[in-house]
Amino acid sequence: MDPISQRLLARHPQKIDLSLDRMRALCAALGNPQDRLPPVVHVAGTNGKGSTVALLRAIAEAAGLRVHVYTSPHLVRFNERIRLAGQLISDERLNAILDRIEAVPVQATVFENTTAAGFVAMSEVAADLAIIEVGLGGSLDATNVIERPLLSLITPVDLDHAEFLGTRIEGIAGEKAGIIKAGARALIGRQSEAVMTVIEQRAREVGSPLSAMGVDFDAWAERGGLAWQDTERFLDLPAPALSGAHQVENAGLAIAAALELDLPEAAIAEGLKTVRWPARMQRLTAGPYADKARAHDAELWLDGGHNPHAGRALARTLAERQARAPRPTVLICGMLANKDAGGFFEALKGQDLRVLTVGFDGSAADPEALAAVAQGRGFGALAAGSVDEAMDRALALGAGRIVICGSLYLAGEVLGASAETWPA
């Protein structure tokens, strides 16, 4: 665990307690830094939030803008959560801000303190744009003390975090829609009819103009690139550098936001080509695990998706790769104990692959229990003692394509194994 994370966990409760009262009190004591940010793009959704943020950031930076970004969770170093005008926040600046926050007599959670630190840092460094990712839900998330965003984006909404958001898709949609604010245009990724009904109702209630993917604009893969269209224009663009068909959807939403920001088409094209977002179907070519795979002429991929929606995206990506270049495929999978492992593996049914399950530091599911879930969905699955052991077993099975998947926490451990692979 990195030193900043150790500091936060030692001094603040790690619990998730969805409420805005503590966050508002904390921000007020700090001079309400959330009201002194550059123009804000606020991003909620179940899956694709981080990728959409990364795409929009790449486009905005290609246009010459200085961009702040707040995301969660981090993979290797806590500093990944706060990017100031293009650079990860330094330990020195972050510790100084945490000193100020800890002098405030408000008992806030780790995420609330983290978010407040991000707001303070972003309010004190000049930039043209701030892209803020919701942590969990929307309406009661700590980031939702932002009252006047420039744009509100909602990526696809699906089931996740049931212990906090419930199991009804309409209720989850209502939480996500809570970031839609009066006067700020809402841009909505492709949704089910039930989700869209809830989002449209919220937009009407607060008086927010709304544009939805599949209705007001759309994006699709075409001739190896990406086509984007709304009622006024058609753009012929390069495919996003992020792997997977689902990234076309995320790119479509990011492009809609970029056009609302009046960013030029050349910057959109450049951002799509240069975007990077670790642990989202990332091809690993450096570090000890990549070296081990390369020695056996095997591909190694890393994906942090951890719910049924992410499982479906992974299934589509694997099917595409198998159609182009068939290789024996092994998943090395670890998941948090509170995730819907059955739904994740159900989404992968029909794929020709083997599964090896592993644990990781924190609240990981027991590998034996996780293997049993995969077996129950028809996969040959075995538990392994570590990623190293699982890699050896996968290669012994003749794997030509290995995908380490199921958790961003597991992905962080893999990336953290070598400074060559740390996100920068």
Side-chain angles (χ1 to χ4, degrees):
M1 185 182 294
D2 66 284
I4 300 292
S5 296
Q6 289 176 339
R7 171 180 180 166
L8 282 161
L9 292 174
R11 301 190 187 189
H12 307 286
Q14 193 179 5
K15 66 179 180 179
I16 294 174
D17 183 6
L18 296 179
S19 167
L20 290 181
D21 294 340
R22 292 180 306 276
M23 188 64 186
R24 288 189 177 121
L26 181 58
C27 286
L30 294 166
N32 286 315
Q34 78 279 10
D35 296 336
R36 294 182 278 110
L37 301 180
V40 169
V41 178
H42 200 188
V43 185
T46 303
N47 286 308
K49 297 191 301 291
S51 296
T52 302
V53 168
L55 285 154
L56 182 56
R57 173 198 157 209
I59 293 168
E61 290 182 341
L65 300 188
R66 288 164 56 88
V67 184
H68 294 331
V69 180
Y70 179 70
T71 56
S72 61
H74 61 278
L75 294 169
V76 180
R77 295 169 294 163
F78 184 90
N79 311 55
E80 297 165 36
R81 296 173 180 241
I82 303 170
R83 188 175 292 273
L84 302 177
Q87 302 298 317
L88 297 187
I89 190 169
S90 67
D91 283 351
E92 181 181 31
R93 181 185 288 272
L94 185 48
N95 275 309
I97 291 172
L98 291 175
D99 286 342
R100 290 155 60 185
I101 290 173
E102 288 166 358
V104 174
V106 176
Q107 292 299 311
T109 66
V110 167
F111 187 72
E112 289 162 349
N113 281 279
T114 300
T115 304
F119 290 162
V120 170
M122 292 178 183
S123 72
E124 295 177 348
V125 175
D128 304 297
L129 187 69
I131 309 175
I132 309 293
E133 180 191 2
V134 165
L136 195 159
S139 62
L140 297 177
D141 183 74
T143 64
N144 207 34
V145 294
I146 296 169
E147 295 292 344
R148 294 180 295 278
L150 179 64
L151 296 172
S152 301
L153 275 57
I154 300 180
T155 67
V157 174
D158 210 310
L159 300 175
D160 199 8
H161 300 293
E163 67 272 37
F164 302 108
L165 302 179
T167 57
R168 293 183 64 253
I169 195 68
E170 293 86 355
I172 294 172
E175 286 297 312
K176 310 293 186 185
I179 71 163
I180 297 175
K181 304 290 172 58
R185 177 169 290 279
L187 301 174
I188 312 300
R190 205 180 308 278
Q191 308 289 352
S192 68
E193 183 177 348
V195 168
M196 202 63 215
T197 297
V198 174
I199 291 173
E200 288 172 339
Q201 181 179 344
R202 167 68 180 183
R204 285 193 300 270
E205 288 173 353
V206 301
S208 169
L210 184 148
S211 297
M213 192 168 191
V215 179
D216 304 291
F217 64 91
D218 214 338
W220 60 94
E222 186 169 277
R223 300 191 307 275
L226 183 150
W228 192 95
Q229 186 171 25
D230 65 6
T231 57
E232 299 177 0
R233 74 209 106 185
F234 175 88
L235 303 182
D236 188 6
L237 297 162
L242 303 178
S243 296
H246 57 291
Q247 295 296 358
V248 171
E249 299 277 310
N250 295 330
L253 185 58
I255 292 165
L259 292 170
E260 285 290 332
L261 296 170
D262 292 325
L263 302 183
E265 182 178 345
I268 294 172
E270 183 64 19
L272 292 176
K273 290 188 293 185
T274 59
V275 63
R276 298 290 181 268
W277 190 229
R280 280 71 176 183
M281 206 56 192
Q282 175 189 3
R283 178 76 182 267
L284 278 185
T285 58
Y289 300 116
D291 292 343
K292 185 175 286 192
R294 189 181 304 107
H296 291 77
D297 193 30
E299 299 174 4
L300 181 60
W301 297 83
L302 184 64
D303 188 69
H306 48 260
N307 55 37
H309 187 274
R312 293 192 292 274
L314 178 59
R316 290 193 299 273
T317 301
L318 290 175
E320 290 170 359
R321 295 208 165 271
Q322 285 294 87
R324 289 201 300 269
R327 286 184 162 215
T329 301
V330 174
L331 299 191
I332 296 175
C333 185
M335 301 187 78
L336 289 173
N338 63 351
K339 295 301 179 183
D340 181 7
F344 182 81
F345 287 118
E346 184 71 26
L348 290 161
K349 282 181 73 170
Q351 303 292 315
D352 184 14
L353 50 84
R354 300 284 297 273
V355 177
L356 297 170
T357 57
V358 296
F360 49 86
D361 286 345
S363 304
D366 174 70
E368 293 282 358
L370 192 59
V373 174
Q375 291 163 5
R377 297 311 190 274
F379 294 106
L382 294 170
S386 66
V387 174
D388 271 318
E389 180 186 325
M391 286 287 300
D392 290 339
R393 287 197 189 184
L395 294 167
L397 289 168
R401 181 172 292 126
I402 300 171
V403 183
I404 302 174
C405 64
S407 171
L408 287 170
Y409 296 95
L410 174 61
E413 289 192 10
V414 170
L415 292 174
S418 169
E420 289 182 277
T421 54
W422 288 5

